[in-house]
Amino acid sequence: VGRDVTITHVATERLMRLGMMVDLLGVLLSFVIGYFIAGHAIKPIREAYELKQRFIGDASHELRTPLSVIRLSTEVLNREIPPNMDFARQVVGDINDETHHMSYLVENLLLLARSDTGRLVVNREALPVQSLIETVLSSLSVLASEKHVTLSPAPQTDLIAQGDPNLLRTLLVTLTENAIKYNRDGGSVTLRTREFSQKGKPWLEIQVM
């Protein structure tokens, strides 16, 4: 007995195509709904993060002025202290050192806030490498003395590098400070320079060892 099953076959194919279209539409609809739900869920988190970064940036910027005033005031006061008042000179010196440290922390907070928000401006200018290294070591001399760590600058050089003085100083201070903190008692930290060429361009490497 023979029967024409063409209609059944066609109907089955149509149902399969319809099922595939429904499945595809369901996936697309789920994706769109999930996208909007995720966007609404993340929005408060993004706003809270941006508010925190804005607060850090504003607070860091506002703290720079009073810290500068305190630092200048302690320097003036230190010059006015009589030579025989060693204790007073030590107290003023400690205040000045802590103010320098707080200024360093504030600069790092401001740098972090600007880099996270994409507002970090890099100023490239010529700067003497030896002067930069000496400034970094001078700012950390008190910490090194407390940790009984000897700071050794690189050999005298007249190298001139191109870069942002503030960013480079912050980076070198951070690396050197960590090298001092996690050093052994009686150890040493040395800053060395190395010139090399890469792809036809001269580069300068500063090593914290």
Side-chain angles (χ1 to χ4, degrees):
V1 178
R3 173 184 288 181
D4 186 2
V5 295
T6 303
I7 297 178
T8 304
H9 184 68
V10 171
T12 303
E13 286 186 350
R14 288 180 178 178
L15 287 174
M16 291 180 62
R17 292 175 183 175
L18 181 61
M20 293 176 62
M21 292 179 62
V22 170
D23 290 341
L24 180 60
L25 182 61
V27 172
L28 292 176
L29 187 61
S30 299
F31 176 78
V32 173
I33 294 175
Y35 176 79
F36 280 105
I37 292 177
H40 284 291
I42 294 176
K43 185 177 180 180
I45 300 175
R46 185 187 299 115
E47 291 177 350
Y49 176 78
E50 292 175 353
L51 181 62
K52 184 199 71 173
Q53 294 303 112
R54 189 160 53 249
F55 170 77
I56 293 175
D58 294 342
S60 301
H61 183 74
E62 293 298 328
L63 284 172
R64 296 172 72 182
T65 300
L67 286 174
S68 299
V69 173
I70 295 174
R71 187 168 63 250
L72 292 174
S73 299
T74 54
E75 291 174 357
V76 172
L77 183 60
N78 188 55
R79 290 195 296 267
E80 298 297 327
I81 297 177
N84 60 338
M85 299 182 65
D86 295 335
F87 180 73
R89 190 179 299 277
Q90 180 182 352
V91 171
V92 173
D94 292 340
I95 295 174
N96 194 29
D97 293 338
E98 292 301 322
T99 305
H100 275 284
H101 184 63
M102 288 182 64
S103 298
Y104 164 68
L105 294 177
V106 168
E107 289 295 335
N108 280 350
L109 285 174
L110 186 59
L111 175 65
L112 179 63
R114 286 177 175 175
S115 61
D116 286 346
T117 56
R119 295 185 298 161
L120 181 63
V121 179
V122 179
N123 299 314
R124 296 185 179 274
E125 59 183 71
L127 57 100
V129 177
Q130 189 65 34
S131 176
L132 174 65
I133 292 176
E134 290 176 355
T135 300
V136 170
L137 295 181
S138 176
S139 64
L140 296 173
S141 60
V142 175
L143 176 62
S145 178
E146 293 176 351
K147 296 290 184 178
H148 305 291
V149 173
T150 303
L151 297 179
S152 303
Q156 292 290 330
T157 177
D158 56 354
L159 291 174
I160 302 296
Q162 291 287 335
D164 191 306
N166 294 325
L167 294 180
L168 288 174
R169 180 180 180 277
T170 300
L171 177 60
L172 284 177
V173 167
T174 301
L175 294 175
T176 308
E177 184 180 31
N178 288 336
I180 295 172
K181 286 182 177 179
Y182 301 105
N183 209 319
R184 60 182 176 82
D185 188 27
S188 63
V189 175
T190 304
L191 271 67
R192 295 180 180 177
T193 58
R194 183 177 73 91
E195 295 181 87
F196 64 96
S197 178
Q198 186 174 8
K199 296 182 179 180
K201 295 183 178 181
W203 289 84
L204 174 67
E205 180 181 77
I206 301 179
Q207 301 174 343
V208 180
M209 307 177 63

